[in-house]
Amino acid sequence: ESGLNLSGYGRFGIGYLEDRTATTSSTTAGGAVVTNSNETDDAILISRFRLNIDGFTETDGGVRFEGRVRLQADEDSDTGEADSAGLNGARFSVIYGGFRVDAGNVAGSFDNLDDYFGTEPGLEEFLGQYSGVNYSFLEYDSTGSGDNAVFFQYAVGDFAFSASYDQNTIFQGAGATSDRDRWDVGASYTFNNITASLVYGETDEGDGIEKESLTVFTLSAELNDFYGTLFLADDDVADDDENGTAYGFSVAYDLGAATTLQLVYGDGSADSDTRNIGVGAIYDLGAGATLRGAVGEVKDGDEDSRIQADFGVWFNF
Amino acid sequence: ESGLNLSGYGRFGIGYLEDRTATTSSTTAGGAVVTNSNETDDAILISRFRLNIDGFTETDGGVRFEGRVRLQADEDSDTGEADSAGLNGARFSVIYGGFRVDAGNVAGSFDNLDDYFGTEPGLEEFLGQYSGVNYSFLEYDSTGSGDNAVFFQYAVGDFAFSASYDQNTIFQGAGATSDRDRWDVGASYTFNNITASLVYGETDEGDGIEKESLTVFTLSAELNDFYGTLFLADDDVADDDENGTAYGFSVAYDLGAATTLQLVYGDGSADSDTRNIGVGAIYDLGAGATLRGAVGEVKDGDEDSRIQADFGVWFNF
Amino acid sequence: ESGLNLSGYGRFGIGYLEDRTATTSSTTAGGAVVTNSNETDDAILISRFRLNIDGFTETDGGVRFEGRVRLQADEDSDTGEADSAGLNGARFSVIYGGFRVDAGNVAGSFDNLDDYFGTEPGLEEFLGQYSGVNYSFLEYDSTGSGDNAVFFQYAVGDFAFSASYDQNTIFQGAGATSDRDRWDVGASYTFNNITASLVYGETDEGDGIEKESLTVFTLSAELNDFYGTLFLADDDVADDDENGTAYGFSVAYDLGAATTLQLVYGDGSADSDTRNIGVGAIYDLGAGATLRGAVGEVKDGDEDSRIQADFGVWFNF
């Protein structure tokens, strides 16, 4: 059996960001490039159109091969205008029973862990319990080519294991190159309605460059109308002002048949860590359409905190 | 109910333009950029491939949400070569009964009015009754990101009302910004086979820049094998040589079961207005395929008029 | 009848190239651009995702119109990273009985001749019997806009005829232009399991530039589990070190129900011609999925030969 699945979603609405600014650059008569920070509209029209193009073949023996390319259009949150749709890098998968291998534009162990993200309030899901994390892990790229990497996953009973490996050649100029290695491993254990997960990853950019790493522990519970996640992380990055622990939690609660309320908090111990606090709501219109909105406060290190909010409709197809 | 609709058309054939020229630029040894006007082939291979990608969700309550991205490839009419296909900016819609709201890459009240365009002869629909208009109204962009704007439409009985609003932040350099506002409103009334429409729009680029506006009145009739439109407009733009009235008409007549003849005339009162005169024919092959062609004269202001013609096949899918 | 067909394939695996290098450029302090040749990883993750988007309309009279755009993502074989997916130029077709006309981004008579390519070992089909050919014929472009050209094909009984014509305007700067003409004609005759084909093509870039040409003769046989092709060509190109005969053969043999073995040899008489020698294997997993791999030697003129190999999975959808 083989075929092509097309699926995706649209979302659009209003987004508000206190003191929204757009950065532009201009060239002076003397040839110098000057960067300008422009005040722009706090409230803009936000939107996303996403289409997943999934080709697949499944052999009689039960081995499934998949290839995915994503088509996506987003608004430009700086200028308030919209961008043309684009295509991303392809991801390929081999799936057999509880075993899965992804290659190409893949998500690593952090990005594949739902409890890393918990519940993210807002039409644009702009608030997260992970806001204090500064490590750059292997992520699926919806609008670019992504990293050409490999991800493994194995699920057996209540356990799930994962690992990823990403290797880059960095061209340093004058014919010199160096290698960047990035890998991660993770494990999850589910007992009744509780899931505990531990993921570790590190990046080695070669001799003379400080190695970076991230450890994340999450604990989530799903009980009737309640879903909640506790998040604890330790990131060791090159910038000392971003080093240290990151912590947070997020909660979703179904209030009656159609409404879900969300609460999120994320912060970190380092001076430059980002704090997220906010609440959101989702109202189900049926048939895969929801109204969504959130209001929150985003604070980068010692800078003034900024209020961010959004509201709109999300429809799956 | 939700899903994805794919539809579109292909068209290809031969296009002729008297004294076709292509503009190229080159850099001199001294570093100056020189613009060259090159004579090129008058007859070229013309083509378009268009695919509409429409995701939709319709709730039990009858509210329909839609998102559209268009994939399109065209020939380059200057060089006679073809361009790769591209994706445009997304348009989102909410539709409920006679009410419709579009957001994103939208068409405004002028672009949504069929009688603005009337019948346009040619495989490339290169002649139009509106040729004397110089105002730049809010248009759906098939090959770019478009304007991130909003359009409203309401149809009740024989009346239809529409309005659009488009706001841009213009980055003037050195951190200064200004706002450009553009809006339009329109109304149509249909009595029997006659439709009368009036649309007004204006653009305000801010202090010290002349406001521009356009008023359009159209009257169309559809009687058995005949469809005709009268077009009258007043455009008030910054360039005085393009200011003033624009007028025209277009007629389509079904000659027997498979053939349609078209006639179009468009002109304006201003010195630099463009005049279009031409005739076209459409021959129906069935199953959504047609042969189409036209020949016409295009005259920009006081310049020499040029003959333009095309012929080819158009097939819907 | 009209509609849209979506089809394609994914393939991914490991590719090895001895002494793989990537070329980068950098700018010195003095403003000079320097080109660097960087050693990079010999073994990389290779992949392709291809989706054909085919719109079609078929009239009651049996005339079929088609338009195709291809969406494709590949790895970058220099850096070992992957590229985002892109869209190519559109191809349009009219098909009626044994007659076919293509317009737009078309393949010419060489590119449409299966026996030109024979069997190409490897997941990436990186070895070919045609390796000694240096003439640039009209090719379908899967990742770019292609040439805006025309191709004709007519099949009657055991005979097939083809021809293509491609015309370009070259903008030489300072407003001067010249025309490039490229055409080819071909004929094939099939008797029992044997097919003989002869194709000739030439390119004329205008006054003062040497005309280039290519003549190809192929003889192929398909006998039970065996498919083999003999390839003989004469190319007359501007570079004398690439001029002369090119020759080769390729063989595929089905070993049992699921395995196919491939052997290919290609070379030329000129000093700078490229030689390809290699073997490959295909193992059928069913449902359109295969495992494929090859190992071969690629030698450009007098340079050191390099070993190239790959292995991976190919799945159609």
Side-chain angles (χ1 to χ4, degrees), chain C residues 208-263:
Chain C
I209 300 175
E210 192 180 328
K211 208 178 279 191
E212 302 197 328
S213 71
L214 173 64
T215 311
V216 167
F217 172 75
T218 63
L219 192 68
S220 74
E222 205 159 359
L223 298 159
N224 301 321
D225 298 332
F226 173 88
Y227 166 66
T229 311
L230 286 173
F231 180 92
L232 198 61
D234 180 67
D235 55 347
D236 181 6
V237 295
D239 182 349
D240 283 342
D241 286 342
E242 295 180 339
N243 254 348
T245 55
Y247 39 83
F249 69 87
S250 67
V251 174
Y253 181 70
D254 292 341
L255 195 78
T259 306
T260 302
L261 297 182
Q262 299 161 294
L263 173 66

Side-chain angles (χ1 to χ4, degrees), chain A residues 57 88 92 144-145 148 167 169 174-175, chain C residues 36 38 41 45 80 82 84-85 287 316:
Chain A
T57 300
N88 75 347
F92 301 88
S145 59
N148 205 18
Q167 190 270 346
T169 301
Chain C
N36 305 307
N38 303 279
D41 300 313
L45 196 55
S84 291
N316 294 315

